[in-house]
Amino acid sequence: MVVHAQPPRNGDDGRVLGTEPPSRPGLDTGQDTMTPAPGCSPDLSFSVLLCDDNLMLLETLREVLQAQPDIEVVGAARDGEEALRLTHRHQPDLVVLDVRFPGGGPSVAADIARCSPSSRIVAFSAYDDKGTIGQMMDAGVCAYVLKGVSNRELLSALRRAATAKKAG
């Protein structure tokens, strides 16, 4: 599954456009909190480990996810070694992994899959080229979500991945 908000375009300065995190008015006040998906109950809650080397994005993701009653953020990693250590310790239901993660996104994904076979890995990336998506899927990710999607789309993708894990 690949979730697209809008296709990234390269800007004149070489950066990928459309990947800036969406504005989140009211995030600090909790106004951005979403109700769990229909049929989602406390029995369907799930744990998440966040892995990204961008501290601001990591903190924003943590805030968005922690505002959800059905999601427990068990940790946040900024490099591959820390991701493996936290995965081993917490055995999370989901691992949200940056594709360009220090240590190599596909390599870290494969290591996480070996370390915690029951954890489902969701790739989170600014890149939507077929080669990158294929590498991550081959490494064991169950979903590929583009940075820049709305909070609602991200949460929906995570819930689908977690639901698939619990059903499997």
Side-chain angles (χ1 to χ4, degrees):
M1 150 185 40
V2 178
V3 177
H4 295 271
Q6 59 184 341
R9 301 173 314 276
N10 287 331
D12 294 335
D13 59 358
R15 68 184 175 90
V16 177
L17 302 177
T19 59
E20 296 78 17
S23 69
R24 294 176 180 82
L27 180 64
D28 293 336
T29 65
Q31 294 174 8
D32 208 26
T33 302
M34 290 177 43
T35 309
C40 198
S41 70
D43 294 338
L44 297 178
S45 63
F46 59 96
S47 60
V48 177
L49 173 64
L50 301 172
C51 303
D52 201 296
D53 59 327
N54 180 321
L55 184 58
M56 183 170 28
L57 179 61
L58 200 58
E59 289 175 353
T60 301
L61 280 173
R62 183 192 298 260
E63 287 180 25
V64 169
L65 298 184
Q66 284 180 327
Q68 305 308 306
D70 59 329
I71 300 174
E72 176 191 10
V73 177
V74 295
R78 296 194 56 205
D79 61 46
E81 185 178 311
E82 186 176 23
L84 288 172
R85 184 176 50 78
L86 292 173
T87 298
H88 182 71
R89 177 187 303 155
H90 297 289
Q91 299 291 305
D93 295 310
L94 294 181
V95 176
V96 177
L97 177 65
D98 178 24
V99 170
R100 301 283 192 245
F101 197 58
S107 175
V108 174
D111 289 345
I112 288 171
R114 280 190 295 276
C115 170
S116 180
S118 65
S119 296
R120 293 181 58 87
I121 305 164
V122 177
F124 193 50
S125 177
Y127 305 94
D128 71 344
D129 61 279
K130 290 184 189 325
T132 301
I133 294 169
Q135 284 181 330
M136 292 302 287
M137 294 306 219
D138 289 345
V141 304
C142 68
Y144 194 99
V145 180
L146 290 176
K147 291 179 179 178
V149 298
S150 69
N151 290 350
R152 185 171 304 281
E153 290 170 303
L154 173 62
L155 292 167
S156 177
L158 296 181
R159 288 184 176 116
R160 280 192 307 271
T163 301
K165 176 191 187 305
K166 295 202 183 269

